Amino acid sequence: MKQKEDKIILKGDIVFTPTKEKFEIHKDSYIVAENGKVVGIFKELEEKYQHYVIKDFSNKIIIPGFIDLHLHAPQYPNRGLGLDKELLPWLETYTFPEEKKYEDIQYGKKVYTKLIRELWRVGTTRCVIFSSIHKESTKLLFDLFIKSGLGAYIGKVNMDRNSPDYITEDTKKSIVDTEEIVIEYKDKSDLVKPIIAPRFAPVCTVELLESLGYLASKYNLPVESHLSENIGELAWVKELYPEFANYASVYNQYGLFGQTKTVMGHCIYNTEEEIELMAKNGVYAAHCPHSNFDLSSGIMPVRKFLDKGVPLGLGTDMAGGHCISMADVMVAAIQSSKMKWLETNKELQPITISEAFFLGTKGGGSFFGKVGSFEEGYELDALIIDDSSLADIEPLSLEERIQKFIYIGDDRNIVERYIRGRKVEEPEF
Ligand code: GUN
Ligand code: FE
């Protein structure tokens, strides 16, 4: 019988994390979804579902799609370049010169088509993206994402001071261009939406921050930026904003800190007051461990954020991080937390594998709504994992199989991707 458009059943070994404490595992079971949302998971199919077409992935693992809460699309060609530097020199020598190139949308098209294919390949089903300052290339990025079937928030970067001339915007133009993009794309797609993206406080004037906060509130738009990533950056913010109690207060003052849904990259050096403000305002932290190693930024105290109830997800921060796979970021998050554990005299406990998996799926997914889990009512974003190439001599439990995939698997093990219950094919442009 022909599959009904809005109904799908996936059969296989189902693994997800409704809570961070442990994996929920349903061996050889069925996920039923209608209108893109999970109806339930069943060991046996009830009569009413019998006539649905079933996608049979027996012996394969079905997990939620990966969520990247922080990456820079125009930095894709820079993966692996200049990572013997720290943040601020790296921005000056590698990042800004690369981002300038996106004034040419033909260059943007070449890079962005490759980037989107790569995200599809590694199983990132939704992501929160910074583009560059350029309006036309940013619109192109929206159009390509919409075509691909992947989900994203995309932010045109805003920066109007303290950067090289070739990448510093006129304040008024920055605001007008941002609003134009917002109006054009806010209702164009259910899966690809605009987000407000002040690069970070030191390269934005107060006038710009104020206007961006106004736009976020006027259109009820989410916000993304960077916070407390690097010691030099902290000193710079202190010098530029001496009247503020701390870095977070700058964003908070201008309506860019949880007044609408907000995600801040890095959050390595926040004070207790700042972490409390994040918890109170529901501001997400995007933990980007690869980037934090690559740019010698520091080790985020993830456990502290979890204990304080700050919403948390993971990000590649590509190209500050060299790696685009969220499974690799989960591993780095565990490794990083283990170093923090040693560094704090074993006070801040390392995160477990189920916690890392939670952060890279449901934790980050909650920024998009009911995403990143297979509980009833969640959007069915799923990856089908064929881990037969990872099998050793002795059979493993499902929980061990998922550990192996996260640590030593890669995109070759991902055989299909689903978003909102629909299979997403490799993007062709
Ligand atoms: N802070 C401001 N801009 C950037 C950027 O492009 N990457 C990283 N990692 N940090 C930033
Ligand atoms: Fe970043």
Side-chain angles (χ1 to χ4, degrees), residues 327-363:
D328 289 340
V329 174
M330 290 176 191
V331 173
I334 297 166
Q335 293 172 324
S336 169
S337 73
K338 292 173 103 172
M339 292 300 110
K340 197 62 174 178
W341 173 67
L342 284 179
E343 205 189 41
T344 58
N345 217 0
K346 304 195 175 174
E347 193 190 315
L348 290 182
Q349 288 298 309
I351 59 170
T352 62
I353 297 176
S354 72
E355 286 178 319
F357 189 89
F358 174 91
L359 294 179
T361 54
K362 190 177 174 181

Side-chain angles (χ1 to χ4, degrees), residues 36 79 212:
R79 281 162 312 140
L212 294 175

